[in-house]
Amino acid sequence: MFDGLPEELDAALRRAATPRTYRAGQVLMYEEDYPDQFLLLTEGRVRVWRTSTGGTAMTVHMLGPGTMPGCVAALRQMPYPATVTALTDIRALSWPADKMRQLIAAHPELASNFLQMIAERNEEMLQRLHEVSTLPVAQRVARALLRLAADGAPGEGGVQVALSRQDLAELTATTLHSVSRLVSRWERAGIVAAGRKRVRILDAERLETEGETAK
């Protein structure tokens, strides 16, 4: 959001921001609530999920630092289309919705950054839809993990991504059984190490090979 902004606007935004913290498992936004803030994640990862008409939860996104969950709803002054839950402890910056909308209207540079963020999220959704329609499960799951690893937590044994196997299944439009079987195979091959609500990528190159489109 701050990329390329004039110093004066950058400073004004930072002064107007209120730091927020959320514990893992805490809900940041509820589906159908009206937004009263713009929220920028600075640390941690959240799960964005919706409830189907049958009452089943469906993971839509996993978002990390630099993203603004619910920003489209806040811009359009409409209810949140999904619930946002903290997967890890979260640090964030918050602005009153009315104040941020005024700033966006007054500063083309800020409006351009918001358009860029929304365009990137839309592009990601289109890519995922294409993958669900055309790729086998292994390739979809590998690509999803690699995308999530881009802002994951690097560690001594690789990059850790905070999500459960069920979340991964929902993100890739497959079943928990298929994901569990696949992750277990990759564990035996030394590509990943899985734990409770986390997957650590041990060998990104081999995972990239798993995600390549079949010839």
Side-chain angles (χ1 to χ4, degrees):
M1 188 185 75
F2 292 100
D3 285 355
L5 296 182
E7 287 187 17
E8 185 176 342
L9 176 57
D10 185 293
L13 278 169
R14 294 180 191 276
R15 284 197 303 271
T18 300
R20 305 279 189 199
T21 59
Y22 301 89
R23 299 182 306 278
Q26 189 172 353
V27 174
L28 286 66
M29 305 167 187
Y30 285 95
E31 185 176 353
E32 299 299 334
D33 277 0
Y34 275 85
D36 60 1
Q37 66 173 338
F38 282 77
L39 197 69
L40 173 67
L41 303 182
T42 59
E43 185 179 314
R45 186 182 294 276
V46 299
R47 172 191 178 220
V48 183
W49 58 281
R50 298 189 63 171
T51 305
S52 71
T53 53
T56 303
M58 177 69 182
T59 300
V60 181
H61 282 306
M62 297 286 189
L63 300 178
T67 60
M68 299 188 76
C71 72
V72 173
L75 280 169
R76 298 184 62 194
Q77 303 181 58
M78 59 180 285
Y80 290 124
T83 297
V84 180
T85 304
L87 287 171
T88 65
D89 289 345
I90 297 291
R91 293 184 183 275
L93 296 175
S94 171
W95 292 265
D98 289 345
K99 174 66 174 176
M100 182 61 84
R101 284 193 291 266
Q102 290 170 7
L103 288 168
I104 292 169
H107 297 280
E109 305 96 334
L110 184 59
S112 177
N113 283 359
F114 269 87
L115 284 173
Q116 179 68 21
M117 287 189 290
I118 293 167
E120 288 174 358
R121 194 64 53 219
N122 184 60
E123 184 178 351
E124 180 192 330
M125 286 295 292
L126 288 173
Q127 179 64 32
R128 286 172 53 197
L129 283 171
H130 173 74
E131 290 174 2
V132 166
S133 302
T134 62
L135 297 183
V137 170
Q139 291 174 352
R140 299 203 303 264
V141 173
R143 291 183 179 202
L145 282 173
L146 288 166
R147 275 195 295 267
L148 293 168
D151 59 1
E156 194 173 311
V159 178
Q160 180 166 294
V161 178
L163 84 169
S164 68
R165 297 187 188 195
Q166 181 63 45
D167 293 332
L168 190 53
E170 292 171 8
L171 276 174
T172 53
T174 188
T175 64
L176 175 59
H177 174 72
S178 295
V179 167
S180 295
R181 186 172 56 185
L182 187 59
V183 169
S184 295
R185 175 166 69 81
W186 287 345
E187 281 193 287
R188 291 192 299 271
I191 297 173
V192 303
R196 187 176 181 274
K197 296 187 176 181
R198 64 175 177 79
V199 176
R200 185 177 294 278
I201 298 172
L202 305 176
D203 192 331
E205 281 191 17
R206 292 172 68 190
L207 190 59
E208 286 173 6
T209 299
E210 293 281 343
E212 288 176 358
T213 304
K215 302 297 184 182

